[in-house]
PDB file of all heavy atoms in Angstrom:
ATOM      1  N   ASP A 604      19.149   2.125 -22.649  1.00 98.00           N
ATOM      2  CA  ASP A 604      19.408   3.487 -22.198  1.00 98.00           C
ATOM      3  C   ASP A 604      20.040   4.222 -23.346  1.00 98.00           C
ATOM      4  O   ASP A 604      21.248   3.993 -23.624  1.00 98.00           O
ATOM      5  CB  ASP A 604      20.250   3.587 -21.005  1.00 98.00           C
ATOM      6  CG  ASP A 604      20.248   4.973 -20.348  1.00 98.00           C
ATOM      7  OD1 ASP A 604      20.041   5.889 -21.061  1.00 98.00           O
ATOM      8  OD2 ASP A 604      20.572   5.039 -19.144  1.00 98.00           O
ATOM      9  N   LEU A 605      19.327   4.959 -24.131  1.00 98.00           N
ATOM     10  CA  LEU A 605      19.895   5.666 -25.283  1.00 98.00           C
ATOM     11  C   LEU A 605      20.853   6.705 -24.992  1.00 98.00           C
ATOM     12  O   LEU A 605      21.652   7.208 -25.833  1.00 98.00           O
ATOM     13  CB  LEU A 605      18.708   6.311 -26.141  1.00 98.00           C
ATOM     14  CG  LEU A 605      17.718   5.279 -26.634  1.00 98.00           C
ATOM     15  CD1 LEU A 605      16.524   6.000 -27.343  1.00 98.00           C
ATOM     16  CD2 LEU A 605      18.294   4.293 -27.614  1.00 98.00           C
ATOM     17  N   ARG A 606      20.949   7.087 -23.657  1.00 98.00           N
ATOM     18  CA  ARG A 606      21.916   8.122 -23.241  1.00 98.00           C
ATOM     19  C   ARG A 606      23.317   7.643 -23.230  1.00 98.00           C
ATOM     20  O   ARG A 606      24.282   8.385 -23.069  1.00 98.00           O
ATOM     21  CB  ARG A 606      21.465   8.746 -21.899  1.00 98.00           C
ATOM     22  CG  ARG A 606      20.089   9.371 -21.941  1.00 98.00           C
ATOM     23  CD  ARG A 606      19.597   9.620 -20.546  1.00 98.00           C
ATOM     24  NE  ARG A 606      19.356   8.376 -19.790  1.00 98.00           N
ATOM     25  CZ  ARG A 606      18.591   8.311 -18.655  1.00 98.00           C
ATOM     26  NH1 ARG A 606      18.028   9.395 -18.168  1.00 98.00           N
ATOM     27  NH2 ARG A 606      18.596   7.145 -18.038  1.00 98.00           N
ATOM     28  N   SER A 607      23.464   6.265 -23.090  1.00 98.00           N
ATOM     29  CA  SER A 607      24.820   5.658 -22.786  1.00 98.00           C
ATOM     30  C   SER A 607      25.075   4.374 -23.683  1.00 98.00           C
ATOM     31  O   SER A 607      25.906   3.700 -23.394  1.00 98.00           O
ATOM     32  CB  SER A 607      24.940   5.304 -21.365  1.00 98.00           C
ATOM     33  OG  SER A 607      23.888   4.421 -20.945  1.00 98.00           O
ATOM     34  N   ILE A 608      24.300   4.342 -24.770  1.00 98.00           N
ATOM     35  CA  ILE A 608      24.411   3.095 -25.569  1.00 98.00           C
ATOM     36  C   ILE A 608      25.720   3.058 -26.277  1.00 98.00           C
ATOM     37  O   ILE A 608      26.229   4.056 -26.781  1.00 98.00           O
ATOM     38  CB  ILE A 608      23.188   3.019 -26.537  1.00 98.00           C
ATOM     39  CG1 ILE A 608      23.176   1.675 -27.239  1.00 98.00           C
ATOM     40  CG2 ILE A 608      23.305   4.199 -27.540  1.00 98.00           C
ATOM     41  CD1 ILE A 608      21.886   1.519 -28.110  1.00 98.00           C
ATOM     42  N   ARG A 609      26.256   1.877 -26.495  1.00 98.00           N
ATOM     43  CA  ARG A 609      27.550   1.707 -27.300  1.00 98.00           C
ATOM     44  C   ARG A 609      27.314   2.082 -28.713  1.00 98.00           C
ATOM     45  O   ARG A 609      26.221   1.785 -29.289  1.00 98.00           O
ATOM     46  CB  ARG A 609      28.028   0.291 -27.197  1.00 98.00           C
ATOM     47  CG  ARG A 609      28.282  -0.173 -25.769  1.00 98.00           C
ATOM     48  CD  ARG A 609      28.839  -1.662 -25.789  1.00 98.00           C
ATOM     49  NE  ARG A 609      27.772  -2.588 -26.240  1.00 98.00           N
ATOM     50  CZ  ARG A 609      26.918  -3.110 -25.489  1.00 98.00           C
ATOM     51  NH1 ARG A 609      26.865  -2.877 -24.165  1.00 98.00           N
ATOM     52  NH2 ARG A 609      26.001  -3.956 -26.029  1.00 98.00           N
ATOM     53  N   LYS A 610      28.382   2.658 -29.372  1.00 98.00           N
ATOM     54  CA  LYS A 610      28.225   3.018 -30.756  1.00 98.00           C
ATOM     55  C   LYS A 610      27.807   1.821 -31.682  1.00 98.00           C
ATOM     56  O   LYS A 610      27.028   1.932 -32.607  1.00 98.00           O
ATOM     57  CB  LYS A 610      29.462   3.636 -31.222  1.00 98.00           C
ATOM     58  CG  LYS A 610      29.327   4.133 -32.692  1.00 98.00           C
ATOM     59  CD  LYS A 610      30.707   4.801 -33.227  1.00 98.00           C
ATOM     60  CE  LYS A 610      30.573   5.366 -34.629  1.00 98.00           C
ATOM     61  NZ  LYS A 610      30.195   4.394 -35.580  1.00 98.00           N
ATOM     62  N   GLU A 611      28.489   0.655 -31.418  1.00 98.00           N
ATOM     63  CA  GLU A 611      28.186  -0.513 -32.303  1.00 98.00           C
ATOM     64  C   GLU A 611      26.801  -0.957 -32.178  1.00 98.00           C
ATOM     65  O   GLU A 611      26.140  -1.388 -33.219  1.00 98.00           O
ATOM     66  CB  GLU A 611      29.160  -1.618 -32.020  1.00 98.00           C
ATOM     67  CG  GLU A 611      29.054  -2.185 -30.631  1.00 98.00           C
ATOM     68  CD  GLU A 611      30.031  -3.343 -30.341  1.00 98.00           C
ATOM     69  OE1 GLU A 611      30.893  -3.517 -31.175  1.00 98.00           O
ATOM     70  OE2 GLU A 611      29.873  -3.956 -29.338  1.00 98.00           O
ATOM     71  N   SER A 612      26.177  -0.847 -31.050  1.00 98.00           N
ATOM     72  CA  SER A 612      24.762  -1.187 -30.794  1.00 98.00           C
ATOM     73  C   SER A 612      23.873  -0.138 -31.488  1.00 98.00           C
ATOM     74  O   SER A 612      22.837  -0.511 -32.120  1.00 98.00           O
ATOM     75  CB  SER A 612      24.433  -1.265 -29.297  1.00 98.00           C
ATOM     76  OG  SER A 612      25.213  -2.228 -28.674  1.00 98.00           O
ATOM     77  N   ARG A 613      24.246   1.143 -31.257  1.00 98.00           N
ATOM     78  CA  ARG A 613      23.465   2.222 -31.931  1.00 98.00           C
ATOM     79  C   ARG A 613      23.472   2.064 -33.492  1.00 98.00           C
ATOM     80  O   ARG A 613      22.453   2.094 -34.122  1.00 98.00           O
ATOM     81  CB  ARG A 613      23.973   3.595 -31.539  1.00 98.00           C
ATOM     82  CG  ARG A 613      23.358   4.788 -32.336  1.00 98.00           C
ATOM     83  CD  ARG A 613      23.923   6.045 -31.783  1.00 98.00           C
ATOM     84  NE  ARG A 613      23.474   7.182 -32.602  1.00 98.00           N
ATOM     85  CZ  ARG A 613      24.113   7.546 -33.685  1.00 98.00           C
ATOM     86  NH1 ARG A 613      25.254   7.029 -34.143  1.00 98.00           N
ATOM     87  NH2 ARG A 613      23.636   8.631 -34.380  1.00 98.00           N
ATOM     88  N   ASP A 614      24.657   1.738 -34.037  1.00 98.00           N
ATOM     89  CA  ASP A 614      24.778   1.647 -35.485  1.00 98.00           C
ATOM     90  C   ASP A 614      23.869   0.436 -35.921  1.00 98.00           C
ATOM     91  O   ASP A 614      23.315   0.483 -37.102  1.00 98.00           O
ATOM     92  CB  ASP A 614      26.247   1.434 -35.859  1.00 98.00           C
ATOM     93  CG  ASP A 614      27.018   2.660 -35.703  1.00 98.00           C
ATOM     94  OD1 ASP A 614      26.451   3.771 -35.553  1.00 98.00           O
ATOM     95  OD2 ASP A 614      28.299   2.591 -35.642  1.00 98.00           O
ATOM     96  N   LEU A 615      23.915  -0.602 -35.165  1.00 98.00           N
ATOM     97  CA  LEU A 615      23.058  -1.774 -35.645  1.00 98.00           C
ATOM     98  C   LEU A 615      21.564  -1.426 -35.516  1.00 98.00           C
ATOM     99  O   LEU A 615      20.845  -1.814 -36.465  1.00 98.00           O
ATOM    100  CB  LEU A 615      23.361  -2.970 -34.589  1.00 98.00           C
ATOM    101  CG  LEU A 615      22.462  -4.226 -34.783  1.00 98.00           C
ATOM    102  CD1 LEU A 615      22.780  -4.865 -36.192  1.00 98.00           C
ATOM    103  CD2 LEU A 615      22.973  -5.232 -33.679  1.00 98.00           C
ATOM    104  N   LEU A 616      21.063  -0.813 -34.530  1.00 99.00           N
ATOM    105  CA  LEU A 616      19.689  -0.377 -34.439  1.00 99.00           C
ATOM    106  C   LEU A 616      19.325   0.549 -35.595  1.00 99.00           C
ATOM    107  O   LEU A 616      18.090   0.659 -35.960  1.00 99.00           O
ATOM    108  CB  LEU A 616      19.501   0.220 -33.077  1.00 99.00           C
ATOM    109  CG  LEU A 616      19.411  -0.694 -31.878  1.00 99.00           C
ATOM    110  CD1 LEU A 616      19.579  -0.014 -30.589  1.00 99.00           C
ATOM    111  CD2 LEU A 616      18.180  -1.547 -31.889  1.00 99.00           C
ATOM    112  N   LEU A 617      20.332   1.281 -36.072  1.00 99.00           N
ATOM    113  CA  LEU A 617      19.972   2.227 -37.151  1.00 99.00           C
ATOM    114  C   LEU A 617      20.325   1.693 -38.523  1.00 99.00           C
ATOM    115  O   LEU A 617      20.182   2.485 -39.510  1.00 99.00           O
ATOM    116  CB  LEU A 617      20.774   3.537 -36.870  1.00 99.00           C
ATOM    117  CG  LEU A 617      20.391   4.368 -35.668  1.00 99.00           C
ATOM    118  CD1 LEU A 617      21.378   5.545 -35.422  1.00 99.00           C
ATOM    119  CD2 LEU A 617      18.995   4.953 -35.791  1.00 99.00           C
ATOM    120  N   ASN A 618      20.686   0.452 -38.627  1.00 98.00           N
ATOM    121  CA  ASN A 618      21.017  -0.135 -39.966  1.00 98.00           C
ATOM    122  C   ASN A 618      19.840  -0.009 -40.889  1.00 98.00           C
ATOM    123  O   ASN A 618      18.861  -0.773 -40.664  1.00 98.00           O
ATOM    124  CB  ASN A 618      21.540  -1.601 -39.710  1.00 98.00           C
ATOM    125  CG  ASN A 618      22.010  -2.127 -40.913  1.00 98.00           C
ATOM    126  OD1 ASN A 618      21.334  -2.368 -41.984  1.00 98.00           O
ATOM    127  ND2 ASN A 618      23.281  -2.497 -40.968  1.00 98.00           N
ATOM    128  N   ARG A 619      20.037   0.756 -41.965  1.00 98.00           N
ATOM    129  CA  ARG A 619      18.883   0.942 -42.852  1.00 98.00           C
ATOM    130  C   ARG A 619      18.447  -0.312 -43.592  1.00 98.00           C
ATOM    131  O   ARG A 619      17.351  -0.462 -43.944  1.00 98.00           O
ATOM    132  CB  ARG A 619      19.289   2.052 -43.801  1.00 98.00           C
ATOM    133  CG  ARG A 619      19.559   3.426 -43.183  1.00 98.00           C
ATOM    134  CD  ARG A 619      18.305   4.148 -42.902  1.00 98.00           C
ATOM    135  NE  ARG A 619      18.578   5.481 -42.307  1.00 98.00           N
ATOM    136  CZ  ARG A 619      17.714   6.412 -42.162  1.00 98.00           C
ATOM    137  NH1 ARG A 619      16.539   6.372 -42.752  1.00 98.00           N
ATOM    138  NH2 ARG A 619      18.039   7.579 -41.526  1.00 98.00           N
ATOM    139  N   ASN A 620      19.409  -1.198 -43.907  1.00 98.00           N
ATOM    140  CA  ASN A 620      19.111  -2.377 -44.664  1.00 98.00           C
ATOM    141  C   ASN A 620      18.205  -3.309 -43.844  1.00 98.00           C
ATOM    142  O   ASN A 620      17.242  -3.899 -44.315  1.00 98.00           O
ATOM    143  CB  ASN A 620      20.417  -3.156 -45.039  1.00 98.00           C
ATOM    144  CG  ASN A 620      21.195  -2.301 -46.024  1.00 98.00           C
ATOM    145  OD1 ASN A 620      20.770  -1.766 -46.998  1.00 98.00           O
ATOM    146  ND2 ASN A 620      22.523  -2.147 -45.706  1.00 98.00           N
ATOM    147  N   LEU A 621      18.532  -3.445 -42.473  1.00 98.00           N
ATOM    148  CA  LEU A 621      17.699  -4.299 -41.618  1.00 98.00           C
ATOM    149  C   LEU A 621      16.410  -3.709 -41.420  1.00 98.00           C
ATOM    150  O   LEU A 621      15.400  -4.369 -41.346  1.00 98.00           O
ATOM    151  CB  LEU A 621      18.469  -4.567 -40.297  1.00 98.00           C
ATOM    152  CG  LEU A 621      19.786  -5.315 -40.369  1.00 98.00           C
ATOM    153  CD1 LEU A 621      20.450  -5.330 -39.029  1.00 98.00           C
ATOM    154  CD2 LEU A 621      19.488  -6.750 -40.821  1.00 98.00           C
ATOM    155  N   ILE A 622      16.359  -2.416 -41.185  1.00 99.00           N
ATOM    156  CA  ILE A 622      15.096  -1.743 -40.971  1.00 99.00           C
ATOM    157  C   ILE A 622      14.193  -1.877 -42.248  1.00 99.00           C
ATOM    158  O   ILE A 622      12.956  -2.102 -42.156  1.00 99.00           O
ATOM    159  CB  ILE A 622      15.253  -0.231 -40.679  1.00 99.00           C
ATOM    160  CG1 ILE A 622      15.919  -0.105 -39.290  1.00 99.00           C
ATOM    161  CG2 ILE A 622      13.951   0.555 -40.733  1.00 99.00           C
ATOM    162  CD1 ILE A 622      16.316   1.251 -38.927  1.00 99.00           C
ATOM    163  N   ALA A 623      14.840  -1.800 -43.455  1.00 98.00           N
ATOM    164  CA  ALA A 623      13.992  -2.015 -44.674  1.00 98.00           C
ATOM    165  C   ALA A 623      13.362  -3.352 -44.755  1.00 98.00           C
ATOM    166  O   ALA A 623      12.242  -3.509 -45.209  1.00 98.00           O
ATOM    167  CB  ALA A 623      14.849  -1.697 -45.886  1.00 98.00           C
ATOM    168  N   ILE A 624      14.101  -4.421 -44.299  1.00 98.00           N
ATOM    169  CA  ILE A 624      13.532  -5.792 -44.280  1.00 98.00           C
ATOM    170  C   ILE A 624      12.389  -5.792 -43.308  1.00 98.00           C
ATOM    171  O   ILE A 624      11.244  -6.330 -43.625  1.00 98.00           O
ATOM    172  CB  ILE A 624      14.623  -6.820 -43.923  1.00 98.00           C
ATOM    173  CG1 ILE A 624      15.679  -6.927 -44.980  1.00 98.00           C
ATOM    174  CG2 ILE A 624      13.953  -8.174 -43.654  1.00 98.00           C
ATOM    175  CD1 ILE A 624      16.899  -7.661 -44.635  1.00 98.00           C
ATOM    176  N   ASN A 625      12.589  -5.333 -42.104  1.00 98.00           N
ATOM    177  CA  ASN A 625      11.534  -5.331 -41.071  1.00 98.00           C
ATOM    178  C   ASN A 625      10.312  -4.577 -41.544  1.00 98.00           C
ATOM    179  O   ASN A 625       9.155  -4.897 -41.324  1.00 98.00           O
ATOM    180  CB  ASN A 625      12.079  -4.681 -39.746  1.00 98.00           C
ATOM    181  CG  ASN A 625      10.985  -4.628 -38.721  1.00 98.00           C
ATOM    182  OD1 ASN A 625      10.404  -3.553 -38.507  1.00 98.00           O
ATOM    183  ND2 ASN A 625      10.834  -5.627 -38.007  1.00 98.00           N
ATOM    184  N   GLN A 626      10.532  -3.415 -42.224  1.00 98.00           N
ATOM    185  CA  GLN A 626       9.427  -2.520 -42.580  1.00 98.00           C
ATOM    186  C   GLN A 626       8.849  -2.828 -43.978  1.00 98.00           C
ATOM    187  O   GLN A 626       8.083  -2.026 -44.559  1.00 98.00           O
ATOM    188  CB  GLN A 626       9.884  -1.081 -42.536  1.00 98.00           C
ATOM    189  CG  GLN A 626      10.250  -0.642 -41.135  1.00 98.00           C
ATOM    190  CD  GLN A 626       9.038  -0.418 -40.253  1.00 98.00           C
ATOM    191  OE1 GLN A 626       8.221   0.378 -40.454  1.00 98.00           O
ATOM    192  NE2 GLN A 626       8.873  -1.347 -39.262  1.00 98.00           N
ATOM    193  N   ASP A 627       9.210  -4.011 -44.548  1.00 98.00           N
ATOM    194  CA  ASP A 627       8.809  -4.303 -45.924  1.00 98.00           C
ATOM    195  C   ASP A 627       7.224  -4.207 -46.034  1.00 98.00           C
ATOM    196  O   ASP A 627       6.525  -4.690 -45.240  1.00 98.00           O
ATOM    197  CB  ASP A 627       9.219  -5.702 -46.284  1.00 98.00           C
ATOM    198  CG  ASP A 627       8.878  -5.988 -47.746  1.00 98.00           C
ATOM    199  OD1 ASP A 627       9.699  -5.568 -48.519  1.00 98.00           O
ATOM    200  OD2 ASP A 627       7.873  -6.580 -48.096  1.00 98.00           O
ATOM    201  N   PRO A 628       6.753  -3.429 -47.032  1.00 98.00           N
ATOM    202  CA  PRO A 628       5.332  -3.142 -47.152  1.00 98.00           C
ATOM    203  C   PRO A 628       4.481  -4.306 -47.315  1.00 98.00           C
ATOM    204  O   PRO A 628       3.264  -4.280 -47.127  1.00 98.00           O
ATOM    205  CB  PRO A 628       5.251  -2.164 -48.301  1.00 98.00           C
ATOM    206  CG  PRO A 628       6.521  -2.396 -49.102  1.00 98.00           C
ATOM    207  CD  PRO A 628       7.543  -2.765 -48.086  1.00 98.00           C
ATOM    208  N   LEU A 629       4.983  -5.475 -47.811  1.00 98.00           N
ATOM    209  CA  LEU A 629       4.131  -6.708 -47.975  1.00 98.00           C
ATOM    210  C   LEU A 629       3.620  -7.164 -46.562  1.00 98.00           C
ATOM    211  O   LEU A 629       2.621  -7.807 -46.512  1.00 98.00           O
ATOM    212  CB  LEU A 629       4.921  -7.834 -48.684  1.00 98.00           C
ATOM    213  CG  LEU A 629       5.322  -7.620 -50.141  1.00 98.00           C
ATOM    214  CD1 LEU A 629       6.108  -8.771 -50.622  1.00 98.00           C
ATOM    215  CD2 LEU A 629       4.109  -7.270 -50.925  1.00 98.00           C
ATOM    216  N   GLY A 630       4.445  -7.007 -45.572  1.00 98.00           N
ATOM    217  CA  GLY A 630       4.020  -7.350 -44.214  1.00 98.00           C
ATOM    218  C   GLY A 630       3.838  -8.828 -43.999  1.00 98.00           C
ATOM    219  O   GLY A 630       3.014  -9.301 -43.130  1.00 98.00           O
ATOM    220  N   ILE A 631       4.653  -9.624 -44.740  1.00 97.00           N
ATOM    221  CA  ILE A 631       4.585 -11.083 -44.624  1.00 97.00           C
ATOM    222  C   ILE A 631       5.618 -11.559 -43.614  1.00 97.00           C
ATOM    223  O   ILE A 631       6.789 -11.366 -43.936  1.00 97.00           O
ATOM    224  CB  ILE A 631       4.718 -11.764 -45.977  1.00 97.00           C
ATOM    225  CG1 ILE A 631       3.669 -11.315 -46.879  1.00 97.00           C
ATOM    226  CG2 ILE A 631       4.712 -13.316 -45.780  1.00 97.00           C
ATOM    227  CD1 ILE A 631       3.898 -11.809 -48.333  1.00 97.00           C
ATOM    228  N   PRO A 632       5.351 -12.134 -42.502  1.00 97.00           N
ATOM    229  CA  PRO A 632       6.392 -12.668 -41.605  1.00 97.00           C
ATOM    230  C   PRO A 632       7.113 -13.725 -42.187  1.00 97.00           C
ATOM    231  O   PRO A 632       6.674 -14.596 -42.987  1.00 97.00           O
ATOM    232  CB  PRO A 632       5.672 -13.080 -40.338  1.00 97.00           C
ATOM    233  CG  PRO A 632       4.280 -12.557 -40.460  1.00 97.00           C
ATOM    234  CD  PRO A 632       4.042 -12.372 -41.907  1.00 97.00           C
ATOM    235  N   GLY A 633       8.412 -13.921 -41.886  1.00 97.00           N
ATOM    236  CA  GLY A 633       9.203 -15.037 -42.235  1.00 97.00           C
ATOM    237  C   GLY A 633       9.013 -16.308 -41.362  1.00 97.00           C
ATOM    238  O   GLY A 633       8.369 -16.127 -40.237  1.00 97.00           O
TER     239      GLY A 633
END
């Protein structure tokens, strides 16, 4: 529920470093 999410959880979901790993253009799963 994005209307009541905890700040620490929101910050984690928005972590640019983790998103960059997930969205890596090579697309090779670990």
Side-chain angles (χ1 to χ4, degrees):
D604 192 339
L605 299 175
R606 300 165 298 194
S607 58
I608 190 170
R609 299 180 297 273
K610 182 181 184 302
E611 63 182 8
S612 300
R613 173 178 173 269
D614 290 346
L615 177 60
L616 289 162
L617 292 174
N618 186 296
R619 299 279 179 159
N620 297 312
L621 294 173
I622 291 172
I624 294 170
N625 176 265
Q626 296 289 293
D627 187 80
L629 294 179
I631 303 172

